[in-house]
Amino acid sequence: SMYRLIAKNVGNGRQIVIVPDKFSLAFERNILKKLGLTSTFDVDVTSFMRLAVKAMRGKNGKCLTPEGSVMLLKRAIDEVKNDLTVYKDVDDVTFPREMYAVITALRNSGVNAENTLAVDDEKLKDVGIIYEKYLEILHKSFIDSTSRLEAFSAGIGDDFSDADVYIFGFSDFTATQYEIIFRLFVHARNVTVGLIAPEDDAKNKRLYPSRAFKKLTSGLLIRPRGSKRFLRVSATTFRTPTYIFSDFPISPQPSMR
């Protein structure tokens, strides 16, 4: 299991376990319990964002809170409101927050402002105008959570060469998180991603999101932006619907669940 892989490598360099932020304490307790330890400095249980914060400490300005980002977006909306054709009631107090949710979803999906401006849809063009202005203001003096992850991804390098990285507890990833995973595959010593996914003929496969499984095991050569190295992701399955992806050979044991 994933825990056996971690136990095997404890004491041999950094062990970085990336899990959803709200589950990090539970995962840390489980790992210590499985390893039979009360504490350890060898295993760092973290989230994508906390790993980025630690890696980027001192390299960027203060990160905007979601509320601060909404206020900055309000400023962007005020600057371009005369250029909008569909959205006219932009002075409504709820509009900036709703638009921030839309723009965040687009950024998490890897859709940039140019993509939305190029679509033959007046509403999306308005979104693109606001999106573009928001990023213009943001990049002059600020950084938000998405920008921090993007900067972290771009900066991943040989500082992870001694690290074994484990990623599990996720059903899917954002576009930036995928980029981070692919860059870690290039630079970290070992990377393992654990997912729940269905067999092709499973009757309940609709219950298991399979997008991440398909993306990580597409069989295609992957080259992260800015990297000269291609990589191929292999997959090994358990008898139960648990999958492990890795750029190094592993022999997982059947899940006990």
Side-chain angles (χ1 to χ4, degrees):
S1 70
M2 186 78 75
Y3 295 112
R4 290 190 180 94
L5 291 175
I6 296 171
K8 179 181 177 181
N9 291 309
V10 166
N12 183 28
R14 290 188 295 160
Q15 307 299 303
I16 301 173
V17 183
I18 302 174
V19 299
D21 189 56
K22 60 185 177 181
F23 299 136
S24 59
L25 180 59
F27 273 109
E28 187 167 6
R29 286 173 175 169
N30 284 340
I31 288 171
L32 291 174
K33 182 178 180 180
K34 294 288 185 179
L35 298 182
L37 301 172
T38 56
S39 63
T40 178
F41 291 104
D42 294 329
V43 181
D44 181 14
V45 181
T46 185
S47 64
F48 281 107
M49 184 57 68
R50 284 195 286 134
L51 185 62
V53 169
K54 185 182 296 185
M56 302 299 293
R57 186 171 291 135
K59 298 181 182 179
N60 293 101
K62 186 176 180 180
C63 184
L64 291 174
T65 64
E67 292 75 16
S69 297
V70 171
M71 292 177 65
L72 192 70
L73 184 60
K74 176 64 168 65
R75 175 179 158 189
I77 292 168
D78 288 341
E79 291 190 20
V80 301
K81 62 183 179 181
N82 293 331
D83 300 326
L84 307 179
T85 58
V86 176
Y87 293 111
K88 296 300 184 182
D89 191 19
V90 296
D91 293 325
D92 187 301
V93 293
T94 63
F95 183 76
R97 187 171 298 278
E98 293 171 354
M99 185 55 63
Y100 176 69
V102 170
I103 291 175
T104 299
L106 290 171
R107 294 176 76 188
N108 286 342
S109 300
V111 178
N112 58 38
E114 291 75 18
N115 296 146
T116 58
L117 287 168
V119 175
D120 187 19
D121 182 280
E122 292 302 320
K123 183 176 287 189
L124 281 176
K125 286 184 186 296
D126 279 4
V127 173
I129 291 170
I130 298 171
Y131 186 176
E132 187 175 55
K133 177 57 68 172
Y134 171 71
L135 292 183
E136 178 186 321
I137 298 173
L138 176 71
H139 292 157
K140 284 181 181 178
S141 307
F142 305 98
I143 186 171
D144 63 6
S145 57
T146 303
S147 298
R148 174 178 273 169
L149 280 179
E150 291 170 348
F152 168 59
S153 175
I156 292 174
D158 292 340
D159 49 331
F160 283 89
S161 61
D162 66 336
D164 298 311
V165 181
Y166 312 86
I167 304 168
F168 62 118
F170 297 88
S171 59
D172 200 358
F173 305 97
T174 68
T176 306
Q177 288 171 347
Y178 276 116
E179 189 73 23
I180 290 170
I181 292 170
F182 295 151
R183 285 185 177 277
L184 287 172
F185 265 121
V186 173
H187 295 287
R189 180 169 57 190
N190 295 312
V191 178
T192 303
V193 183
L195 289 172
I196 300 294
E199 299 287 353
D200 290 337
D201 58 349
K203 293 181 180 180
N204 61 349
K205 65 180 181 180
R206 72 183 187 281
L207 301 177
Y208 298 96
S210 58
R211 179 175 178 273
F213 171 76
K214 291 176 180 177
K215 191 173 181 68
L216 288 173
T217 60
S218 60
L220 300 175
L221 287 173
I222 300 165
R223 184 171 67 180
R225 287 193 300 270
S227 172
K228 295 182 179 180
R229 175 183 166 188
F230 285 89
L231 60 97
R232 186 181 295 279
V233 180
S234 61
T236 305
T237 66
F238 290 95
R239 286 198 292 268
T240 55
T242 304
Y243 292 78
I244 298 286
F245 311 97
S246 178
D247 64 345
F248 67 107
I250 59 175
S251 301
Q253 298 297 313
S255 171
M256 299 305 291
R257 291 181 299 153

